[in-house]
Amino acid sequence: MLIVDGERHNLDADTGRTLADVLGTECGIAGYRVACPDGTCGACAVTLDGDEIRSCLMLAVQADGAKVTTIGDR
């Protein structure tokens, strides 16, 4: 379960999927994308329980129960 931009999402994320992938495909965050292969560009940055992270570098299962805020809702 994730709370993304104030909306609860119950997910059954595959253990190998990144948070970035889940945000874009399962949570329907419009325009959400990963622009580089290693997290250096910051295009996938979100806040996770108040801390900024690169969602392409985190597995979705690691964010279970967290509050995620995307750039569109900051």
Side-chain angles (χ1 to χ4, degrees):
M1 186 275 303
L2 291 173
I3 299 172
V4 181
D5 297 336
E7 185 177 331
R8 182 184 176 119
H9 294 269
N10 291 315
L11 306 172
D12 187 20
D14 199 24
T15 56
R17 293 178 66 198
T18 64
L19 179 57
D21 181 42
V22 169
L23 289 173
T25 59
E26 292 189 39
C27 296
I29 305 299
Y32 198 77
R33 65 187 178 97
V34 175
C36 71
D38 59 7
T40 57
C41 74
C44 67
V46 296
T47 58
L48 180 80
D49 291 333
D51 295 320
E52 186 173 304
I53 61 136
R54 308 296 167 107
S55 63
C56 69
L57 300 177
M58 176 179 249
L59 295 176
V61 295
Q62 294 173 294
D64 186 34
K67 179 181 177 186
V68 178
T69 305
T70 63
I71 193 149
D73 205 45
R74 289 188 198 172

